[in-house]
Amino acid sequence: MPDIFINPPEEKKEAKTPSPREKHKAPGYTHNPLAAYGYLPDKVNFETRESEEKVILLLRQHPITLLPKALVTALMILAPSILSIFPILSFSRLPPNFQFIAVLIWYLATAAFVIQSFLPWFFNVYIVTDERVVDIDFYNLVYKEVSDANIDKIQDVTYKMGGVVRTLFNYGDVLIQTASEVPNFEFLAVPKPDKVAKILQDLRIEEEQEKLEGRIR
Amino acid sequence: MTTIPLLGISVWLIVKIFVLLGLVFYFVFALVVVRQVQLMTETLEVGFETQLKILSYLHLAFAILVFLAALIVL
């Protein structure tokens, strides 16, 4: 009896491993470790993170908050050149060897200022995971504070965005009230506060869903 | 007149001593910065740790260079 239908041989398709850049196409996703708004950032790990905990958001203050310090840094870098025009204000009254060392010390002070400005901005982060919100603060070079609260303990999320500069650059404050030991979390001057509030709302809904279904994750 | 009459010491020598003392304190500050960057990167990892550690070591090297320059030049 002739065959009515012969199933064509299946072509074996090898599962293509997506590259890191293809994995995440969600809006706001960035590979930039210096980004102030990182949605689903890669390579983020912090001290108290659990092994299965997934980082949803990594936030810092908007880079525009660094503008005043950046301007001061630029002035400090240019100061020896500009002030050399005015003999009274320059180091010209000093012997030549002292002038040279004075300029080096000036740039050493500039480096210290840059470090004191950049490090707190870079390491003071707000992290939202699928289970918690975490606030990491380094108040100075020798004092740090890490606070966290579970998503299901969040009672209220408010975001504020006001003023010309904040509206222009789309950054504001997100205030989170919780029922945990730390009653308030303040995400100050973060980009896209509306999106942050929306993500927190979605996570809270998901936590309630998990409770109803009796799931852990 | 750059010499202190009673002591017979040059004013600039005293300035040099204070400059070197200040640079020693700055060297200690640079060491604190290196240690603090280490502690900060242990608390939070975002994939920029190597660059920050290099910058902190460069800053420390710059502090040492300026101290040595002051020691030799002044």
Side-chain angles (χ1 to χ4, degrees), chain A residues 122-136:
Chain A
F122 185 79
F123 284 105
N124 285 357
V125 296
Y126 313 107
I127 297 173
V128 177
T129 72
D130 54 348
E131 295 292 328
R132 296 182 287 166
V133 291
V134 183
D135 183 0
I136 299 176

Side-chain angles (χ1 to χ4, degrees), chain A residues 74-117:
Chain A
L75 283 173
M76 287 179 78
I77 290 170
L78 294 171
S81 311
I82 295 170
L83 293 179
S84 64
I85 302 170
F86 307 100
I88 296 172
L89 297 172
S90 70
F91 298 126
S92 61
R93 292 186 170 204
L94 298 171
N97 52 349
F98 277 88
Q99 285 181 36
F100 172 67
I101 297 300
V103 170
L104 284 181
I105 289 172
W106 178 263
Y107 284 118
L108 213 50
T110 306
F113 180 76
V114 168
I115 285 167
Q116 287 280 62
S117 305

Side-chain angles (χ1 to χ4, degrees), chain A residues 108-109 111-113 115-116 141, chain B residues 23-36 59-60 63:
Chain A
L108 213 50
F113 180 76
I115 285 167
Q116 287 280 62
L141 288 182
Chain B
L23 288 172
V24 166
F25 286 131
Y26 192 90
F27 170 72
V28 172
F29 167 74
L31 280 176
V32 169
V33 167
V34 167
R35 180 67 185 134
Q36 193 53 34
H59 172 249
L60 180 67

Side-chain angles (χ1 to χ4, degrees), chain A residues 33-34 42-48 58 60 93-95 97-98 100-101 104-105 107-109 111-113 115-116 118-120 122-125 127 136 138 140-144 146, chain B residues 11-13 15-16 19-20 23 26-27 29 32-33 35-37 39-49 51-52 55-56 59 62-71 73-74:
Chain A
L34 297 173
D42 45 12
K43 297 183 192 176
V44 172
N45 196 14
F46 54 96
E47 259 181 339
T48 55
L58 176 80
R60 295 188 178 94
R93 292 186 170 204
L94 298 171
N97 52 349
F98 277 88
F100 172 67
I101 297 300
L104 284 181
I105 289 172
Y107 284 118
L108 213 50
F113 180 76
I115 285 167
Q116 287 280 62
F118 177 75
L119 286 183
F122 185 79
F123 284 105
N124 285 357
V125 296
I127 297 173
I136 299 176
F138 289 91
N140 51 47
L141 288 182
V142 293
Y143 183 77
K144 75 175 179 188
V146 181
Chain B
V11 168
W12 297 114
L13 179 63
V15 173
K16 177 178 177 177
V19 166
L20 289 174
L23 288 172
Y26 192 90
F27 170 72
F29 167 74
V32 169
V33 167
R35 180 67 185 134
Q36 193 53 34
V37 167
L39 290 173
M40 284 173 165
T41 52
E42 280 169 14
T43 306
L44 176 70
E45 294 172 18
V46 292
F48 201 61
E49 290 73 50
Q51 292 90 328
L52 282 175
L55 281 172
S56 68
H59 172 249
F62 185 35
I64 294 170
L65 273 170
V66 173
F67 175 80
L68 291 173
L71 194 64
V73 169
L74 293 182

